[in-house]
């Protein structure tokens, strides 16, 4: 009998200690405190270019500061960058010596003055009759090299919906669309805009790795949301609090930063990132992805909407793009014997893998997945003012944060390295 007890005690002590430490370090009261502030009316829905999102960025920075986390670059947690909002003053041009009507040219640029002709070195392309106009137009708009696209006149009515009003990043190439049935041998376009400069910031912190400091594991969530949208009278709630989307993921990211800092055992370097501008085009993750070598990123845990119960109930979540690397299998393996299950994304037709900040890194080959619990076929508060803290299951969310910590263990220790995403297979 005695022997048995001794065996049990010595066997149990490390398990108990480990359990204790995760329960001590990932506390419900802390999860609630952070989630409560990020989703509060004070931040007015954290819309980009508002003081509400600036307050959120300050708060996240202060949390990083309290934890004494390292900087990723320079001496600040704010990874700031500019965007440029153009407003058209004039546009004119000629195509084979025929004057172009202004409604037959659309120039996307962040520069005040642009002159383009056949000798400017722009790539020339076309959208032909019968093509999918909006799909091709948006593909051209994401090109990294300057393009002139000649659009078949059958798209005249759709063409009028092209307009260069949205803020663009400095890395955005000039793209000009011209309504013309053929590609002319000579053309000239001049566009003049006034350009307003706007500031955005990701918030980034680092815990350097002990033995593999040049290999990174990212934990991220986006801290922007939709802001205030008035649709009814003054009695109607118009603040889109985004408690689940994505104050929840941002809270989890901060909680994990606290956990790993106190554990102080990571062999790989850990980056904690609150992305800006996810809701308006993923500009934050785009800028972030240009500030590091994607080859050095071993894994990305993007956390989106983990505040409600998943379709399987408590203690479960899903991983988007499950089959695109073996990261999901590694996480599942690390959760074996626990109360948690991470499933492959059950909503594949909704393309969730491509709809969050993980996609930007995945397109560079990084095993980058989003972990979520959101029931995308039945989430009553999704993108509504009613996405408030009161609709979240904070206890379950706190348990999910623990599960994410556990699931990442063998990647952080350097034992497991997920396979890369094959970018040729991406949509
Ligand atoms: Zn989101």
């Amino acid at each position: 009998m005695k022997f048995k007890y001794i065996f049990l005690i010595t066997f149990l002590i490390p398990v108990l200690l480990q359990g204790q430490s995760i329960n001590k370090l990932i506390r419900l009261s802390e999860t609630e405190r952070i989630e409560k502030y990020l989703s509060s009316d004070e931040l007015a829905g954290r819309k980009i270019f508002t003081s509400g999102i600036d307050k959120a960025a300050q708060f996240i920075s202060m949390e990083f500061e309290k934890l004494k986390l390292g900087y990723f670059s320079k001496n600040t947690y704010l990874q700031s960058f500019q965007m440029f909002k153009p407003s058209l003053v004039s546009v004119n041009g000629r195509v084979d010596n025929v004057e172009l009507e202004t409604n037959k040219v659309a120039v996307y640029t962040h520069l005040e003055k642009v002159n383009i002709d056949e000798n400017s070195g722009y790539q020339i392309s076309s959208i032909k009759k019968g093509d999918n106009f909006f799909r091709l137009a948006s593909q051209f708009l994401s090109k990294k090299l300057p393009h002139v696209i000649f659009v078949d006149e059958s798209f005249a009515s759709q063409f009028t919906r092209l307009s260069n009003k949205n803020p663009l990043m400095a890395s955005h190439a000039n793209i000009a669309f011209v309504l013309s049935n053929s590609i002319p041998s000579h053309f000239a376009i001049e566009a003049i805009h006034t350009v307003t400069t706007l500031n955005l910031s990701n918030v980034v912190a680092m815990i350097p790795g002990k033995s593999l400091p040049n290999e990174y594991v990212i934990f991220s969530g986006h801290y922007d949301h939709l802001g205030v949208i008035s649709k009814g009278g003054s009695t109607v709630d118009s603040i889109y609090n985004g408690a689940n989307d994505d104050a929840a993921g941002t809270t989890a990211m901060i909680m994990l930063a606290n956990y790993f800092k106190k554990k102080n055992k990571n062999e790989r370097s850990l980056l904690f990132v609150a992305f800006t501008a996810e809701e308006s085009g993923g500009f934050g993750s785009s800028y972030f992805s240009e500030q590091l070598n994607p080859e050095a990123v071993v894994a990305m845990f993007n956390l989106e909407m983990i505040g409600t119960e998943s379709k399987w109930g408590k203690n479960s979540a899903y991983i988007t793009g499950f089959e695109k690397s073996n990261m999901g299998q590694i996480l599942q393996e690390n959760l074996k014997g626990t109360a948690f299950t991470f499933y492959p994304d059950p909503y594949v037709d909704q393309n969730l893998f491509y709809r969050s900040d993980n996609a930007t890194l995945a397109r560079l080959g990084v095993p980058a997945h989003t972990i979520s619990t959101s029931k995308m076929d039945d989430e009553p508060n999704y993108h509504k003012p009613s996405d408030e803290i009161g609709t979240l299951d904070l206890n379950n969310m706190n348990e999910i944060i623990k599960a994410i910590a556990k699931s990442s263990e063998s990647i952080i220790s350097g034992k497991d390295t997920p396979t890369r995403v094959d970018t040729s297979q991406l949509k």
Side-chain angles (χ1 to χ4, degrees), residues 91-93 98-105:
V91 62
N92 58 65
V98 179
E99 193 117 346
L100 259 176
E101 292 165 51
T102 46
N103 60 356
K104 292 189 172 175
V105 203

Side-chain angles (χ1 to χ4, degrees), residues 108-285:
Y108 284 76
T109 181
H110 55 80
L111 303 176
E112 291 188 339
K113 193 168 179 190
V114 177
N115 283 299
I116 311 163
D117 62 27
E118 67 273 13
N119 300 315
S120 304
Y122 280 49
Q123 312 260 334
I124 311 281
S125 295
S126 61
I127 298 179
K128 298 183 184 68
K129 194 172 180 170
D131 282 346
N132 185 331
F133 175 73
F134 285 113
R135 206 189 58 193
L136 286 178
S138 75
Q139 277 174 10
F140 281 118
L141 284 172
S142 64
K143 297 275 185 221
K144 296 276 180 218
L145 293 171
H147 272 71
V148 181
I149 300 108
F150 292 93
V151 179
D152 190 88
E153 292 185 31
S154 59
F155 295 114
S157 63
Q158 288 98 319
F159 194 90
T160 58
R161 286 172 59 188
L162 294 174
S163 73
N164 184 25
K165 280 185 203 146
N166 292 326
L168 300 170
M169 297 179 73
S171 58
H172 195 277
N174 293 339
I175 309 284
F177 294 92
V178 177
L179 201 59
S180 165
N181 282 342
S182 56
I183 296 179
S185 36
H186 299 291
F187 62 88
I189 300 163
E190 184 190 72
I192 295 173
H193 291 82
T194 55
V195 178
T196 314
T197 303
L198 299 161
N199 293 306
L200 286 177
S201 300
N202 297 318
V203 194
V204 189
M206 179 163 79
I207 305 175
K210 295 192 183 303
S211 59
L212 301 165
N214 299 320
E215 298 181 11
Y216 295 94
V217 179
I218 298 171
F219 293 90
S220 60
H222 71 91
Y223 76 105
D224 67 304
H225 195 54
L226 304 171
V228 179
I229 306 171
S230 299
K231 277 187 186 153
S234 56
T235 52
V236 178
D237 181 12
S238 56
I239 301 175
Y240 287 64
N241 302 77
N244 197 25
D245 187 8
D246 187 27
T250 307
T251 299
M253 178 276 291
I254 298 169
M255 292 298 291
L256 291 165
N258 173 54
Y259 174 74
F260 288 118
K261 175 71 185 178
K262 305 251 164 80
K263 287 280 270 194
N264 189 28
K265 270 175 71 182
N266 53 296
E267 299 297 333
R268 286 180 163 138
S269 290
L270 310 183
L271 291 179
F272 299 92
V273 191
F275 287 120
T276 187
E278 190 270 351
E279 304 281 9
S280 44
F283 302 122
S285 51

